[in-house]
Coordinates of all heavy atoms in Angstrom, one line a residue:
M1 N -156.8 -15.3 -261.1 CA -157.5 -14.7 -259.9 C -157.1 -13.3 -259.8 O -156.0 -12.9 -260.1 CB -157.2 -15.5 -258.6 CG -157.8 -16.9 -258.6 SD -157.0 -18.1 -257.6 CE -155.5 -18.4 -258.4
R2 N -158.0 -12.5 -259.3 CA -157.8 -11.1 -259.3 C -157.6 -10.6 -257.9 O -158.3 -11.0 -257.0 CB -159.0 -10.4 -259.9 CG -158.8 -8.9 -260.1 CD -157.9 -8.6 -261.3 NE -157.6 -7.2 -261.4 CZ -156.5 -6.7 -262.1 NH1 -155.7 -7.5 -262.7 NH2 -156.3 -5.4 -262.1
V3 N -156.6 -9.8 -257.7 CA -156.3 -9.3 -256.3 C -156.4 -7.8 -256.3 O -155.9 -7.1 -257.2 CB -154.8 -9.7 -255.9 CG1 -154.5 -9.1 -254.5 CG2 -154.6 -11.2 -256.0
R4 N -157.2 -7.3 -255.4 CA -157.4 -5.9 -255.2 C -156.7 -5.4 -253.9 O -156.9 -6.1 -252.9 CB -158.9 -5.5 -255.2 CG -159.2 -4.1 -255.0 CD -160.7 -3.9 -254.9 NE -161.0 -2.5 -254.4 CZ -161.1 -1.4 -255.1 NH1 -160.8 -1.5 -256.4 NH2 -161.3 -0.2 -254.6
L5 N -156.0 -4.3 -254.0 CA -155.3 -3.8 -252.8 C -156.0 -2.5 -252.3 O -156.3 -1.7 -253.1 CB -153.8 -3.5 -253.2 CG -153.0 -4.6 -253.7 CD1 -151.6 -4.1 -254.0 CD2 -152.9 -5.7 -252.7
E6 N -156.2 -2.5 -251.0 CA -156.8 -1.4 -250.4 C -155.8 -0.7 -249.5 O -154.9 -1.3 -249.1 CB -157.9 -1.8 -249.4 CG -159.1 -2.6 -250.0 CD -160.0 -1.7 -250.9 OE1 -159.8 -0.5 -250.9 OE2 -160.8 -2.3 -251.6
P7 N -155.8 0.6 -249.4 CA -156.8 1.5 -249.9 C -156.5 2.1 -251.3 O -157.3 2.9 -251.8 CB -156.9 2.6 -248.9 CG -155.4 2.7 -248.4 CD -154.9 1.3 -248.4
S8 N -155.5 1.6 -251.9 CA -155.0 2.2 -253.1 C -155.9 1.9 -254.3 O -156.0 2.7 -255.3 CB -153.6 1.7 -253.5 OG -153.6 0.3 -253.6
G9 N -156.6 0.7 -254.2 CA -157.4 0.4 -255.4 C -156.6 -0.3 -256.5 O -157.1 -0.6 -257.5
L10 N -155.3 -0.4 -256.3 CA -154.5 -1.1 -257.3 C -154.9 -2.6 -257.4 O -155.4 -3.1 -256.4 CB -153.0 -1.1 -256.8 CG -152.3 0.3 -256.9 CD1 -151.0 0.2 -256.2 CD2 -152.1 0.7 -258.3
G11 N -154.7 -3.2 -258.6 CA -155.1 -4.5 -258.7 C -154.1 -5.3 -259.6 O -153.3 -4.7 -260.4
F12 N -154.0 -6.6 -259.4 CA -153.1 -7.4 -260.3 C -153.7 -8.8 -260.4 O -154.6 -9.2 -259.6 CB -151.7 -7.4 -259.7 CG -151.5 -8.0 -258.4 CD1 -151.3 -9.3 -258.2 CD2 -151.6 -7.2 -257.2 CE1 -151.1 -9.9 -256.9 CE2 -151.4 -7.7 -256.0 CZ -151.2 -9.0 -255.8
D13 N -153.3 -9.5 -261.4 CA -153.7 -11.0 -261.5 C -152.7 -11.8 -260.8 O -151.5 -11.7 -260.9 CB -153.7 -11.3 -263.0 CG -154.8 -10.6 -263.7 OD1 -155.9 -10.6 -263.2 OD2 -154.6 -10.1 -264.9
A14 N -153.2 -12.8 -260.0 CA -152.4 -13.7 -259.3 C -152.4 -15.1 -260.0 O -153.5 -15.6 -260.2 CB -152.9 -13.9 -257.9
E15 N -151.3 -15.6 -260.5 CA -151.2 -16.9 -261.1 C -151.1 -18.0 -260.1 O -150.4 -17.8 -259.1 CB -150.0 -16.9 -262.0 CG -149.9 -15.7 -263.0 CD -150.9 -15.8 -264.0 OE1 -151.5 -16.8 -264.4 OE2 -151.2 -14.7 -264.6
A16 N -151.7 -19.1 -260.4 CA -151.5 -20.3 -259.5 C -150.0 -20.6 -259.5 O -149.4 -20.5 -260.6 CB -152.4 -21.4 -260.0
G17 N -149.5 -21.0 -258.4 CA -148.1 -21.4 -258.4 C -147.1 -20.2 -258.2 O -145.9 -20.4 -258.3
T18 N -147.6 -19.0 -258.2 CA -146.8 -17.8 -258.0 C -147.2 -17.1 -256.7 O -148.4 -17.0 -256.5 CB -146.9 -16.9 -259.2 OG1 -146.6 -17.6 -260.4 CG2 -146.0 -15.7 -259.1
T19 N -146.3 -16.6 -255.9 CA -146.6 -15.9 -254.7 C -147.3 -14.6 -255.0 O -147.0 -14.0 -256.1 CB -145.4 -15.7 -253.8 OG1 -144.5 -14.8 -254.5 CG2 -144.7 -17.0 -253.5
L20 N -148.0 -14.1 -254.1 CA -148.7 -12.8 -254.3 C -147.6 -11.7 -254.5 O -147.9 -10.8 -255.3 CB -149.6 -12.5 -253.0 CG -150.7 -13.4 -252.8 CD1 -151.4 -13.1 -251.5 CD2 -151.7 -13.4 -254.0
L21 N -146.5 -11.8 -253.8 CA -145.5 -10.8 -253.9 C -144.9 -10.7 -255.3 O -144.8 -9.7 -256.0 CB -144.4 -11.0 -252.9 CG -143.3 -10.0 -252.9 CD1 -143.8 -8.6 -252.4 CD2 -142.1 -10.4 -252.0
K22 N -144.7 -11.9 -255.9 CA -144.1 -12.0 -257.3 C -145.2 -11.5 -258.3 O -144.8 -10.9 -259.3 CB -143.6 -13.4 -257.6 CG -142.3 -13.7 -256.9 CD -141.8 -15.1 -257.4 CE -140.6 -15.5 -256.6 NZ -140.5 -17.0 -256.6
S23 N -146.4 -11.9 -258.1 CA -147.5 -11.5 -259.0 C -147.6 -10.0 -259.0 O -147.8 -9.4 -260.0 CB -148.8 -12.2 -258.6 OG -148.7 -13.5 -258.8
A24 N -147.6 -9.4 -257.8 CA -147.7 -7.9 -257.7 C -146.5 -7.3 -258.4 O -146.7 -6.3 -259.2 CB -147.7 -7.5 -256.2
E25 N -145.4 -7.8 -258.2 CA -144.2 -7.2 -258.8 C -144.2 -7.3 -260.3 O -143.9 -6.4 -261.0 CB -142.9 -7.8 -258.3 CG -142.7 -7.4 -256.8 CD -141.5 -8.1 -256.2 OE1 -141.1 -9.1 -256.7 OE2 -141.1 -7.7 -255.1
A26 N -144.7 -8.4 -260.8 CA -144.9 -8.6 -262.3 C -145.8 -7.6 -262.9 O -145.7 -7.2 -264.0 CB -145.3 -10.0 -262.5
A27 N -146.7 -7.1 -262.1 CA -147.7 -6.1 -262.5 C -147.2 -4.7 -262.2 O -148.0 -3.7 -262.4 CB -149.1 -6.4 -261.9
G28 N -146.0 -4.6 -261.7 CA -145.5 -3.2 -261.5 C -145.9 -2.6 -260.2 O -145.9 -1.4 -260.0
I29 N -146.3 -3.5 -259.2 CA -146.7 -3.0 -257.9 C -145.7 -3.4 -256.9 O -145.4 -4.6 -256.7 CB -148.1 -3.5 -257.6 CG1 -149.2 -3.0 -258.6 CG2 -148.5 -3.2 -256.1 CD1 -150.5 -3.7 -258.5
E30 N -145.2 -2.4 -256.2 CA -144.2 -2.6 -255.2 C -144.9 -2.8 -253.8 O -145.7 -1.9 -253.5 CB -143.2 -1.4 -255.1 CG -142.2 -1.4 -256.2 CD -141.2 -2.6 -256.1 OE1 -140.9 -3.0 -255.0 OE2 -140.8 -3.0 -257.2
M31 N -144.5 -3.8 -253.1 CA -145.0 -4.0 -251.7 C -143.7 -4.2 -250.9 O -142.7 -4.7 -251.4 CB -145.9 -5.2 -251.6 CG -147.2 -5.1 -252.5 SD -148.1 -6.6 -252.7 CE -148.8 -6.7 -251.0
P32 N -143.8 -3.8 -249.6 CA -142.6 -4.0 -248.7 C -142.2 -5.5 -248.7 O -143.0 -6.4 -248.6 CB -143.1 -3.6 -247.4 CG -144.3 -2.7 -247.6 CD -144.9 -3.2 -248.9
S33 N -140.9 -5.7 -248.8 CA -140.4 -7.1 -248.7 C -139.0 -7.0 -248.3 O -138.3 -6.0 -248.5 CB -140.6 -7.9 -250.0 OG -139.7 -7.4 -251.0
S34 N -138.5 -8.1 -247.7 CA -137.1 -8.2 -247.4 C -136.6 -9.7 -247.6 O -136.0 -10.0 -248.6 CB -136.8 -7.8 -246.0 OG -135.5 -7.9 -245.6
C35 N -137.0 -10.6 -246.7 CA -136.4 -12.0 -246.7 C -137.0 -12.7 -247.9 O -136.3 -13.6 -248.5 CB -136.6 -12.7 -245.4 SG -138.3 -13.2 -245.2
R36 N -138.2 -12.5 -248.2 CA -138.9 -13.2 -249.2 C -139.1 -14.7 -249.0 O -139.3 -15.5 -249.9 CB -138.3 -13.0 -250.6 CG -138.1 -11.5 -250.9 CD -137.4 -11.3 -252.2 NE -138.2 -11.5 -253.4 CZ -139.0 -10.6 -254.0 NH1 -139.0 -9.4 -253.5 NH2 -139.7 -11.0 -255.0
N37 N -138.9 -15.1 -247.8 CA -139.1 -16.6 -247.4 C -139.9 -16.8 -246.2 O -139.9 -17.9 -245.6 CB -137.7 -17.3 -247.3 CG -136.9 -16.8 -246.1 OD1 -137.4 -16.1 -245.2 ND2 -135.6 -17.0 -246.1
G38 N -140.7 -15.8 -245.8 CA -141.7 -16.0 -244.8 C -141.2 -15.9 -243.4 O -141.9 -16.4 -242.4
T39 N -140.1 -15.3 -243.1 CA -139.5 -15.2 -241.7 C -139.5 -13.8 -241.2 O -139.9 -13.6 -240.0 CB -138.2 -15.8 -241.6 OG1 -137.3 -15.2 -242.5 CG2 -138.2 -17.3 -241.7
C40 N -139.2 -12.8 -242.0 CA -138.9 -11.4 -241.4 C -140.2 -10.7 -241.1 O -140.2 -9.7 -240.4 CB -138.0 -10.6 -242.4 SG -138.9 -10.0 -243.8
R41 N -141.3 -11.0 -241.8 CA -142.6 -10.3 -241.6 C -142.6 -8.9 -242.1 O -143.6 -8.2 -241.9 CB -143.0 -10.2 -240.1 CG -143.2 -11.6 -239.5 CD -143.2 -11.6 -238.0 NE -144.1 -10.7 -237.4 CZ -145.3 -11.0 -237.0 NH1 -145.7 -12.3 -237.1 NH2 -146.2 -10.1 -236.5
T42 N -141.6 -8.5 -242.9 CA -141.7 -7.1 -243.5 C -142.9 -7.0 -244.4 O -143.5 -5.9 -244.5 CB -140.4 -6.9 -244.4 OG1 -139.3 -7.1 -243.6 CG2 -140.4 -5.6 -245.1
C43 N -143.3 -8.1 -245.1 CA -144.4 -8.0 -246.1 C -145.8 -8.1 -245.5 O -146.8 -8.0 -246.2 CB -144.2 -9.1 -247.1 SG -144.3 -10.7 -246.5
I44 N -145.9 -8.3 -244.2 CA -147.2 -8.7 -243.6 C -148.3 -7.7 -243.9 O -148.1 -6.5 -244.0 CB -147.0 -8.7 -242.0 CG1 -148.2 -9.4 -241.4 CG2 -146.8 -7.4 -241.4 CD1 -148.0 -9.8 -239.9
C45 N -149.4 -8.3 -244.3 CA -150.6 -7.5 -244.5 C -151.8 -8.3 -244.3 O -151.7 -9.5 -244.0 CB -150.6 -6.8 -245.9 SG -150.4 -7.9 -247.2
Q46 N -153.0 -7.7 -244.3 CA -154.2 -8.3 -243.8 C -155.2 -8.6 -244.9 O -155.5 -7.7 -245.7 CB -154.9 -7.5 -242.7 CG -155.8 -8.3 -241.8 CD -156.2 -7.6 -240.6 OE1 -156.1 -6.4 -240.4 NE2 -156.7 -8.3 -239.6
L47 N -155.6 -9.8 -244.9 CA -156.6 -10.2 -245.9 C -158.0 -9.7 -245.5 O -158.4 -9.9 -244.4 CB -156.6 -11.8 -246.0 CG -157.3 -12.5 -247.1 CD1 -156.6 -12.1 -248.4 CD2 -157.1 -14.0 -246.9
V48 N -158.7 -9.0 -246.4 CA -160.0 -8.5 -246.2 C -161.0 -9.5 -246.7 O -162.1 -9.7 -246.1 CB -160.2 -7.1 -246.9 CG1 -161.6 -6.6 -246.7 CG2 -159.1 -6.1 -246.3
A49 N -160.8 -10.1 -247.9 CA -161.7 -11.0 -248.4 C -161.0 -12.0 -249.3 O -160.0 -11.7 -249.9 CB -162.8 -10.2 -249.3
G50 N -161.5 -13.2 -249.4 CA -161.0 -14.3 -250.2 C -160.1 -15.2 -249.3 O -160.0 -15.1 -248.1
S51 N -159.5 -16.2 -250.0 CA -158.7 -17.2 -249.3 C -157.4 -17.4 -250.0 O -157.2 -17.3 -251.2 CB -159.4 -18.5 -249.1 OG -159.6 -19.1 -250.3
I52 N -156.3 -17.6 -249.1 CA -155.0 -17.8 -249.6 C -154.4 -19.1 -249.0 O -155.1 -19.7 -248.0 CB -154.0 -16.7 -249.3 CG1 -153.9 -16.5 -247.7 CG2 -154.4 -15.4 -249.9 CD1 -152.6 -17.1 -247.1
R53 N -153.4 -19.6 -249.5 CA -152.6 -20.6 -248.8 C -151.2 -20.2 -248.7 O -150.6 -19.6 -249.6 CB -152.8 -22.0 -249.4 CG -152.0 -22.3 -250.6 CD -152.1 -23.7 -251.1 NE -151.1 -24.0 -252.1 CZ -149.9 -24.6 -251.8 NH1 -149.7 -25.1 -250.6 NH2 -149.0 -24.7 -252.7
H54 N -150.5 -20.5 -247.6 CA -149.1 -20.2 -247.4 C -148.4 -21.4 -248.0 O -148.8 -22.6 -247.7 CB -148.7 -20.0 -246.0 CG -149.1 -18.6 -245.5 ND1 -150.2 -18.4 -244.6 CD2 -148.6 -17.4 -245.8 CE1 -150.3 -17.1 -244.4 NE2 -149.4 -16.5 -245.1
V55 N -147.3 -21.2 -248.8 CA -146.6 -22.3 -249.5 C -145.5 -22.9 -248.6 O -144.9 -23.9 -249.0 CB -146.0 -21.8 -250.8 CG1 -147.1 -21.3 -251.7 CG2 -145.0 -20.7 -250.6
I56 N -145.3 -22.3 -247.4 CA -144.4 -23.0 -246.5 C -145.2 -23.4 -245.3 O -146.2 -22.8 -245.0 CB -143.2 -22.1 -246.1 CG1 -143.7 -20.8 -245.4 CG2 -142.3 -21.8 -247.3 CD1 -142.6 -20.0 -244.8
E57 N -144.7 -24.4 -244.5 CA -145.5 -24.9 -243.5 C -145.6 -24.0 -242.3 O -146.7 -23.9 -241.6 CB -144.9 -26.3 -243.0 CG -145.9 -27.1 -242.3 CD -145.4 -28.6 -242.1 OE1 -144.4 -28.9 -242.7 OE2 -146.0 -29.3 -241.4
W58 N -144.5 -23.3 -242.0 CA -144.5 -22.4 -240.8 C -144.2 -21.0 -241.1 O -143.1 -20.5 -240.8 CB -143.5 -22.9 -239.7 CG -143.9 -24.3 -239.3 CD1 -143.2 -25.5 -239.6 CD2 -144.9 -24.7 -238.4 NE1 -143.7 -26.6 -239.0 CE2 -144.8 -26.2 -238.3 CE3 -145.9 -24.1 -237.8 CZ2 -145.7 -26.9 -237.5 CZ3 -146.8 -24.8 -237.0 CH2 -146.7 -26.2 -236.9
P59 N -145.1 -20.3 -241.8 CA -144.9 -18.8 -242.0 C -144.8 -18.2 -240.7 O -145.4 -18.6 -239.7 CB -146.1 -18.4 -242.8 CG -147.2 -19.4 -242.6 CD -146.5 -20.7 -242.3
G60 N -144.1 -17.0 -240.6 CA -143.8 -16.3 -239.3 C -145.0 -15.6 -238.8 O -145.0 -14.4 -238.6
L61 N -146.1 -16.3 -238.5 CA -147.4 -15.8 -238.1 C -147.9 -16.6 -236.9 O -147.8 -17.9 -237.0 CB -148.4 -15.8 -239.1 CG -148.2 -14.9 -240.4 CD1 -149.2 -15.3 -241.4 CD2 -148.4 -13.4 -240.1
S62 N -148.4 -16.0 -235.9 CA -149.0 -16.8 -234.8 C -150.4 -17.3 -235.2 O -151.0 -16.8 -236.2 CB -149.1 -15.9 -233.5 OG -150.1 -14.9 -233.8
A63 N -150.9 -18.3 -234.5 CA -152.2 -18.8 -234.8 C -153.3 -17.7 -234.7 O -154.2 -17.6 -235.5 CB -152.6 -19.9 -233.8
E64 N -153.1 -16.7 -233.7 CA -154.0 -15.6 -233.6 C -154.0 -14.7 -234.8 O -155.0 -14.3 -235.3 CB -153.7 -14.8 -232.3 CG -154.0 -15.5 -231.0 CD -152.9 -16.5 -230.6 OE1 -151.8 -16.4 -231.2 OE2 -153.2 -17.3 -229.7
E65 N -152.7 -14.5 -235.3 CA -152.6 -13.6 -236.4 C -153.3 -14.3 -237.7 O -153.9 -13.6 -238.5 CB -151.1 -13.3 -236.7 CG -150.5 -12.3 -235.7 CD -149.0 -12.2 -235.8 OE1 -148.4 -13.2 -236.2 OE2 -148.5 -11.2 -235.4
K66 N -153.0 -15.5 -237.8 CA -153.6 -16.2 -239.0 C -155.2 -16.1 -238.9 O -155.8 -15.9 -239.9 CB -153.2 -17.7 -239.0 CG -151.8 -17.9 -239.5 CD -151.6 -19.4 -239.6 CE -150.1 -19.7 -239.8 NZ -149.8 -21.1 -239.7
A67 N -155.7 -16.3 -237.7 CA -157.1 -16.3 -237.5 C -157.7 -14.9 -237.8 O -158.8 -14.7 -238.2 CB -157.5 -16.7 -236.1
E68 N -156.9 -13.8 -237.6 CA -157.3 -12.5 -237.9 C -157.0 -12.1 -239.3 O -157.3 -11.0 -239.7 CB -156.6 -11.5 -237.0 CG -156.9 -11.6 -235.5 CD -156.0 -10.8 -234.6 OE1 -155.1 -10.2 -235.1 OE2 -156.3 -10.9 -233.4
G69 N -156.5 -13.0 -240.1 CA -156.4 -12.8 -241.5 C -155.0 -12.2 -242.0 O -154.9 -11.8 -243.1
W70 N -154.0 -12.1 -241.0 CA -152.8 -11.6 -241.4 C -152.1 -12.7 -242.3 O -152.1 -13.8 -242.0 CB -151.9 -11.3 -240.2 CG -152.4 -10.2 -239.4 CD1 -153.2 -10.3 -238.3 CD2 -152.3 -8.8 -239.7 NE1 -153.5 -9.0 -237.8 CE2 -153.0 -8.1 -238.7 CE3 -151.6 -8.1 -240.7 CZ2 -153.1 -6.7 -238.7 CZ3 -151.7 -6.7 -240.7 CH2 -152.4 -6.0 -239.7
I71 N -151.4 -12.2 -243.4 CA -150.8 -13.1 -244.3 C -149.4 -12.5 -244.6 O -149.1 -11.3 -244.4 CB -151.6 -13.2 -245.6 CG1 -151.7 -11.9 -246.4 CG2 -153.0 -13.8 -245.3 CD1 -152.2 -12.0 -247.8
L72 N -148.5 -13.4 -245.2 CA -147.2 -13.0 -245.6 C -147.2 -13.2 -247.2 O -147.0 -14.3 -247.6 CB -146.1 -13.9 -244.9 CG -146.1 -13.7 -243.4 CD1 -145.0 -14.6 -242.8 CD2 -145.7 -12.2 -243.0
P73 N -147.4 -12.1 -247.9 CA -147.5 -12.3 -249.4 C -146.3 -12.9 -250.1 O -146.5 -13.5 -251.1 CB -147.7 -10.8 -249.8 CG -148.2 -10.1 -248.7 CD -147.6 -10.8 -247.5
C74 N -145.1 -12.9 -249.5 CA -144.0 -13.5 -250.1 C -144.0 -15.0 -250.1 O -143.3 -15.6 -250.9 CB -142.7 -13.0 -249.4 SG -142.4 -13.7 -247.8
V75 N -144.9 -15.6 -249.3 CA -145.0 -17.0 -249.3 C -146.5 -17.4 -249.3 O -146.9 -18.5 -248.8 CB -144.4 -17.6 -248.0 CG1 -142.9 -17.6 -248.1 CG2 -144.8 -17.0 -246.7
A76 N -147.3 -16.6 -249.9 CA -148.8 -16.9 -250.0 C -149.2 -16.9 -251.5 O -148.8 -16.1 -252.3 CB -149.6 -15.8 -249.3
E77 N -150.1 -17.9 -251.8 CA -150.7 -17.9 -253.1 C -152.2 -17.7 -253.0 O -152.8 -18.2 -252.0 CB -150.5 -19.3 -253.7 CG -149.1 -19.6 -254.1 CD -149.0 -21.0 -254.7 OE1 -150.0 -21.7 -254.8 OE2 -147.8 -21.4 -255.0
A78 N -152.8 -17.1 -253.9 CA -154.3 -16.9 -254.0 C -155.0 -18.2 -254.2 O -154.5 -19.0 -255.0 CB -154.6 -15.9 -255.0
Q79 N -156.1 -18.4 -253.5 CA -157.0 -19.5 -253.8 C -158.3 -19.1 -254.3 O -159.2 -19.9 -254.6 CB -157.1 -20.4 -252.6 CG -155.8 -21.1 -252.2 CD -156.1 -22.3 -251.2 OE1 -156.6 -22.1 -250.2 NE2 -155.6 -23.5 -251.6
S80 N -158.5 -17.8 -254.3 CA -159.7 -17.1 -254.9 C -159.4 -15.7 -255.2 O -158.2 -15.3 -255.0 CB -160.8 -17.2 -253.8 OG -160.5 -16.2 -252.8
D81 N -160.3 -15.0 -255.8 CA -160.1 -13.5 -255.8 C -159.9 -13.0 -254.5 O -160.5 -13.5 -253.5 CB -161.3 -12.9 -256.5 CG -161.4 -13.1 -257.9 OD1 -160.5 -13.7 -258.6 OD2 -162.5 -12.9 -258.5
L82 N -159.1 -12.0 -254.3 CA -158.7 -11.5 -253.0 C -158.9 -10.0 -252.9 O -158.7 -9.2 -253.8 CB -157.2 -11.8 -252.7 CG -156.7 -13.2 -252.8 CD1 -155.2 -13.2 -252.5 CD2 -157.4 -14.1 -251.8
T83 N -159.1 -9.5 -251.7 CA -159.0 -8.1 -251.3 C -158.0 -8.1 -250.1 O -158.2 -8.8 -249.2 CB -160.3 -7.4 -250.9 OG1 -161.2 -7.6 -252.0 CG2 -160.1 -6.0 -250.6
I84 N -157.0 -7.3 -250.2 CA -155.9 -7.2 -249.2 C -155.7 -5.8 -248.8 O -155.6 -4.9 -249.6 CB -154.6 -7.8 -249.8 CG1 -154.7 -9.3 -250.2 CG2 -153.4 -7.6 -248.8 CD1 -153.5 -9.8 -250.9
D85 N -155.6 -5.6 -247.5 CA -155.3 -4.3 -247.0 C -153.8 -4.1 -247.0 O -153.1 -4.8 -246.3 CB -155.8 -4.2 -245.5 CG -155.7 -2.7 -245.0 OD1 -155.7 -1.8 -245.8 OD2 -155.5 -2.6 -243.8
A86 N -153.3 -3.3 -247.9 CA -151.8 -3.1 -248.1 C -151.5 -1.7 -248.3 O -151.2 -1.2 -249.4 CB -151.4 -4.0 -249.3
P87 N -151.6 -0.9 -247.2 CA -151.4 0.6 -247.4 C -150.1 1.0 -247.9 O -150.0 2.2 -248.4 CB -151.7 1.1 -245.9 CG -151.5 -0.1 -245.1 CD -151.9 -1.3 -245.8
Q88 N -149.1 0.2 -247.9 CA -147.8 0.6 -248.4 C -147.5 0.3 -249.8 O -146.4 0.5 -250.4 CB -146.7 0.1 -247.5 CG -146.8 0.6 -246.1 CD -145.6 0.0 -245.2 OE1 -144.5 0.4 -245.4 NE2 -146.0 -0.8 -244.3
A89 N -148.5 -0.4 -250.5 CA -148.3 -0.8 -251.8 C -148.3 0.4 -252.8 O -149.1 1.3 -252.5 CB -149.3 -1.8 -252.3
F90 N -147.5 0.5 -253.8 CA -147.6 1.6 -254.8 C -147.2 1.0 -256.2 O -146.5 0.0 -256.3 CB -146.7 2.8 -254.4 CG -145.3 2.5 -254.4 CD1 -144.5 2.7 -255.5 CD2 -144.7 2.0 -253.2 CE1 -143.1 2.4 -255.5 CE2 -143.3 1.7 -253.2 CZ -142.5 2.0 -254.3
S91 N -147.7 1.7 -257.2 CA -147.4 1.3 -258.6 C -146.2 2.0 -259.0 O -146.0 3.2 -258.8 CB -148.6 1.7 -259.5 OG -148.2 1.4 -260.8
V92 N -145.3 1.2 -259.7 CA -144.0 1.8 -260.2 C -144.3 2.4 -261.6 O -143.4 3.1 -262.1 CB -142.9 0.8 -260.2 CG1 -142.6 0.4 -258.8 CG2 -143.2 -0.3 -261.1
F93 N -145.4 2.2 -262.2 CA -145.7 2.8 -263.5 C -146.3 4.2 -263.4 O -147.0 4.5 -262.4 CB -146.6 1.9 -264.3 CG -146.0 0.6 -264.6 CD1 -146.7 -0.6 -264.4 CD2 -144.7 0.5 -265.0 CE1 -146.2 -1.8 -264.7 CE2 -144.1 -0.8 -265.3 CZ -144.9 -1.9 -265.2
Ligands
LIG101 S1 -140.5 -10.6 -247.0 FE1 -140.0 -11.5 -245.2 S2 -141.7 -12.5 -244.5 FE2 -142.3 -11.7 -246.4

């Protein structure tokens, strides 16, 4: 599945069973992160298109935030091609 980051236009492939954060890093794309277990919210960003699932039962998001498309990439997996608003992402290459 292909993930596109806005507004940078950076993209990476998301493997099933791998979090979006790890897939991005594997492609040389840095996104903000800290705890990497879905509690600190450092990595929070907003889904523009596509669907994800969180791999933990209670990611640190309110129901309203989830409804608005906010996701925690450190504990989210792609379920389709995605577009994500991630203004702090940058390529290390
Ligand atoms: S890095 Fe802490 S919630 Fe994602």
Side-chain angles (χ1 to χ4, degrees):
M1 289 159 288
R2 191 70 187 162
V3 180
R4 179 182 165 85
L5 301 178
E6 300 289 354
S8 62
L10 291 168
F12 62 90
D13 290 317
E15 309 292 334
T18 304
T19 65
L20 296 175
L21 183 64
K22 284 188 189 153
S23 293
E25 288 172 347
I29 296 169
E30 285 292 327
M31 298 172 71
S33 70
S34 179
C35 73
R36 308 176 74 92
N37 64 18
T39 53
C40 75
R41 298 165 53 96
T42 301
C43 65
I44 193 168
C45 53
Q46 198 166 18
L47 197 58
V48 177
S51 66
I52 62 101
R53 75 177 194 97
H54 284 108
V55 299
I56 61 170
E57 200 168 350
W58 300 107
L61 294 168
S62 69
E64 290 79 13
E65 287 171 331
K66 285 187 194 169
E68 290 169 1
W70 292 99
I71 64 170
L72 297 176
C74 69
V75 287
E77 288 179 8
Q79 292 197 302
S80 70
D81 288 347
L82 303 177
T83 303
I84 298 173
D85 188 29
Q88 296 182 70
F90 64 92
S91 173
V92 297
F93 295 135

